[in-house]
Amino acid sequence: MSTGTDLLPLAVALLIGIPAFGSCLGIGLATMKFLESSARQPELIPTLQTKYFLSVGVTDGAFIIATGIGLWFATANPFAR
């Protein structure tokens, strides 16, 4: 009889890997658009830079939260009976 703990490493890897991949893609696309827009209108760089760093911080924060939850599952399985 399996308790589900044999799938825990896979779940932790997915909880860390998928958000990391999405975060990298999101930050890369945001950087691409920031550089493109700053090249088109250099006078808007301060405004764009503020919005860029805010959005990148939120995107990276989601990955850090998912990593924390994954590591929490790895150390203390909340689904164990």
Side-chain angles (χ1 to χ4, degrees), residues 25-38 52 56:
L25 282 178
I27 291 173
L29 289 173
T31 303
M32 178 184 67
K33 292 298 182 178
F34 169 69
L35 292 174
E36 180 181 318
S37 61
S38 63
Y52 167 75
V56 166

Side-chain angles (χ1 to χ4, degrees), residues 10-72:
L10 176 64
V12 170
L14 289 175
L15 274 172
I16 294 173
I18 292 174
F21 183 70
S23 179
C24 289
L25 282 178
I27 291 173
L29 289 173
T31 303
M32 178 184 67
K33 292 298 182 178
F34 169 69
L35 292 174
E36 180 181 318
S37 61
S38 63
R40 288 177 187 252
Q41 294 184 334
E43 66 274 3
L44 291 178
I45 288 177
T47 306
L48 293 172
Q49 191 173 17
T50 303
K51 292 178 182 179
Y52 167 75
F53 282 119
L54 183 66
S55 64
V56 166
V58 169
T59 303
D60 200 33
F63 162 65
I64 291 171
I65 289 171
T67 301
I69 291 172
L71 292 175
W72 174 53

